């Protein structure tokens, strides 16, 4: 902002100097009335120039709606959950290529959100999961799996509707819930399935 202001101020100085030079050269050849008119015109030009500089500078310093939305999107991406590929899933969750029986590979229990970009209910539950990932940071991990990009993973768990949420405790069997559950239900499931020794059905 300051750089733009000083750059435009230099232009204004040049304009004023040009006007002064013009008045100085021709002032001897014009009568008193014309002198007053030229002086008045010079003042008007200077005032208009100053107004244009300040208006443009303020306009440039005020973030537009699109810029604000871009910043919000970037901030949301920073808070976003890790998206699992098949390779990452086999390492961090369950290697179904080597094990026939369920064997959880992670150190912390996890919640996996099976979603798709075109899914309306998935977009509704997404910000809730972002909030929960922060609230339970260090206690659980929340992942996402794009069912369009990772169709093999979706097929492995029989995903037919989305969003589908897979709760994976460190001990015991995983449990699946379907639909855009409210935050209270998700917290209850996290507490009962992931952070409790005994498992419970998702309501």
């Amino acid at each position: 902002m300051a750089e733009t202001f000083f750059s435009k101020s230099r232009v204004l100085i040049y304009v004023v100097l040009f006007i002064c030079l013009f008045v100085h050269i021709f002032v001897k050849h014009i009568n008193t009335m014309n002198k007053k008119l030229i002086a008045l015109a010079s003042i008007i030009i200077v005032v208009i120039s100053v107004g244009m500089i300040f208006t443009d500078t303020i306009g440039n310093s005020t973030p537009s709606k699109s810029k604000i939305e871009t910043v919000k999107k970037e901030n949301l991406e920073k808070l976003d959950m890790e998206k699992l590929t098949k390779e990452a899933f086999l390492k961090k969750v369950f290697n179904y290529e080597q094990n026939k029986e369920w064997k959880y590979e992670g150190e912390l229990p996890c919640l996996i959100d099976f979603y798709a970009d075109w899914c309306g209910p998935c977009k509704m539950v997404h910000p809730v999961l972002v909030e929960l990932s922060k609230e339970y940071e260090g206690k659980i991990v929340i992942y996402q799996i794009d069912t369009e990009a990772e169709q093999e993973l979706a097929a492995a768990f029989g995903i037919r509707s989305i969003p589908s949420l897979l709760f994976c405790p460190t001990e015991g069997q995983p449990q699946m819930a379907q639909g855009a559950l409210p935050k209270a239900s998700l917290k209850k499931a996290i507490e009962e399935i992931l952070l409790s020794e005994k498992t419970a059905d998702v309501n």
Side-chain angles (χ1 to χ4, degrees), residues 24-37:
H24 178 73
I25 293 175
F26 294 99
V27 69
K28 297 180 180 180
H29 304 285
I30 55 180
N31 55 38
T32 303
M33 182 62 68
N34 288 338
K35 290 179 182 179
K36 293 181 179 179
L37 291 176

Side-chain angles (χ1 to χ4, degrees), residues 85-143:
T85 61
K86 176 187 174 182
E87 181 181 3
F89 181 88
L90 295 178
K91 291 181 180 179
K92 297 182 178 183
V93 183
F94 171 48
N95 192 334
Y96 56 82
E97 293 182 340
Q98 295 182 359
N99 302 296
K100 294 182 179 180
E101 299 295 329
W102 174 265
K103 179 184 176 183
Y104 185 61
E105 303 290 346
E107 295 182 359
L108 294 176
C110 76
L111 167 57
I112 302 175
D113 172 30
F114 289 87
Y115 79 102
D117 290 334
W118 50 263
C119 171
C122 299
K123 295 178 181 179
M124 293 173 58
V125 77
H126 178 266
V128 177
L129 293 176
V130 171
E131 292 178 4
L132 292 173
S133 69
K134 295 302 174 183
E135 291 181 20
Y136 288 95
E137 187 174 5
K139 296 180 179 180
I140 70 171
V141 182
I142 301 181
Y143 298 119

